[in-house]
Amino acid sequence: MIRLYLLVVVFGLSHFGYAQEATESKLFQLPANAQKVSGNTEVNPLVKPLKLVTVLDPKGSSIDRELEVWNGLMGSMDRDSIGYIFLVQDTDDRERFKQYWFSDRNMDYPFYYDTEKKVIKANGLSERSPGQTLLLDDKNAIILSGGSPINTDPYNRYRSELYQRTLEMGMEGAVRGVIVEHTERGIKWFYANEPVYVTEKGEVLPKNQADAGIRSKKWVPAISPLSDTIRLVNRNQ
């Protein structure tokens, strides 16, 4: 039951724009600090050892959904290890978009306003394909490139690659929740870290006790793919 429910949650998004490994080592030209719009945040994404870069169109029909997914994605990963570079196209007034970003959408992370699309053009990105997302290594070389993480395949691929990279760099626990990987035998999933079982009263239970309660149908496991916590809901409520 746990596996079925989890797969429904993880694969509930549309499949499109699978992320692909870069065929050659190409360095990404980062935006300048002058383009940064911080609000009340002090984080500097440009100095993080790993970075996700995405292009956003303020007037795009999916902008609300984009930011909803990015908020969840950032919440499932360590911000000290991974930086997020939001390249905002200059299709809307900068101050109006700043209001939308920090006040309307409650984003607690800076963005980079790409006046005249200078960064987009310098890196050979398409001006007509907002949502493009790139994963950079510690030298700013492009590791993966693909579509927006609002789509299932790139979403899973970015998380899987970040999980592997952070482990190799000694950043254990930097990526939380369920990791989904495509293999020759199909799709497999696993928790990045050992899950924590919590009752509705907030009591943390050992795994063997939680498993026994689930098998006896005392509890129903409520699972989120972006969390290592499994909440045990009383079936008799």
Side-chain angles (χ1 to χ4, degrees):
M1 179 181 294
I2 297 178
R3 179 178 295 250
L4 177 61
Y5 177 81
L6 183 59
L7 291 177
V8 170
V9 174
V10 173
F11 301 119
L13 305 173
S14 62
H15 294 259
F16 181 75
Y18 189 69
Q20 298 180 343
E21 293 184 12
T23 55
E24 58 184 37
S25 182
K26 179 181 178 182
L27 295 182
F28 187 87
Q29 296 184 40
L30 297 176
N33 282 320
Q35 295 173 279
K36 182 180 175 184
V37 181
S38 298
N40 295 322
T41 65
E42 298 181 357
V43 64
N44 184 1
L46 304 183
V47 300
K48 304 301 180 182
L50 294 169
K51 307 171 190 70
L52 275 171
V53 181
T54 194
V55 178
L56 297 176
D57 180 358
K59 293 189 175 181
S61 60
S62 64
I63 186 66
D64 288 348
R65 177 61 176 155
E66 297 269 356
L67 298 191
E68 180 184 352
V69 171
W70 276 108
N71 246 333
L73 195 61
M74 290 191 294
S76 72
M77 297 189 283
D78 178 17
R79 295 190 184 187
D80 290 334
S81 307
I82 303 163
Y84 305 88
I85 301 173
F86 296 101
L87 281 179
V88 177
Q89 294 181 337
D90 60 351
T91 57
D92 194 10
D93 177 76
R94 173 173 168 153
E95 290 305 311
R96 182 162 54 225
F97 186 77
K98 179 180 178 180
Q99 169 75 21
Y100 166 80
W101 181 272
F102 292 113
S103 298
D104 298 347
R105 301 303 301 179
N106 294 316
M107 296 291 287
D108 62 344
Y109 208 83
F111 66 87
Y112 294 83
Y113 192 77
D114 194 14
T115 304
E116 299 179 356
K117 303 180 179 65
K118 292 180 179 179
V119 179
I120 292 173
K121 293 176 180 177
N123 289 285
L125 303 178
S126 172
E127 299 176 38
R128 298 181 180 180
S129 301
Q132 298 169 93
T133 302
L134 309 171
L135 176 58
L136 313 181
D137 66 11
D138 57 340
K139 296 180 177 60
N140 298 325
I142 300 173
I143 304 168
L144 290 177
S145 63
S148 166
I150 66 173
N151 301 303
T152 304
D153 288 337
Y155 175 92
N156 288 334
R157 187 66 190 277
Y158 300 138
R159 280 179 48 82
S160 174
E161 186 68 28
L162 283 166
Y163 169 72
Q164 297 295 339
R165 294 268 174 173
T166 51
L167 278 186
E168 292 171 3
M169 298 170 74
M171 304 172 186
E172 187 173 352
V175 179
R176 299 178 291 277
V178 174
I179 304 300
V180 180
E181 295 182 345
H182 293 258
T183 69
E184 294 180 354
R185 296 184 178 181
I187 296 173
K188 73 172 183 178
W189 64 268
F190 56 90
Y191 276 98
N193 305 290
E194 187 67 29
V196 178
Y197 297 86
V198 182
T199 68
E200 293 173 283
K201 296 180 180 179
E203 180 184 4
V204 178
L205 300 182
K207 184 179 186 299
N208 59 347
Q209 185 178 345
D211 286 344
I214 293 171
R215 286 196 300 270
S216 68
K217 300 183 179 181
K218 177 181 179 181
W219 293 307
V220 176
I223 303 170
S224 167
L226 295 180
S227 172
D228 292 323
T229 298
I230 297 179
R231 189 163 298 279
L232 302 173
V233 180
N234 194 319
R235 182 182 289 272
N236 298 321
Q237 285 187 344

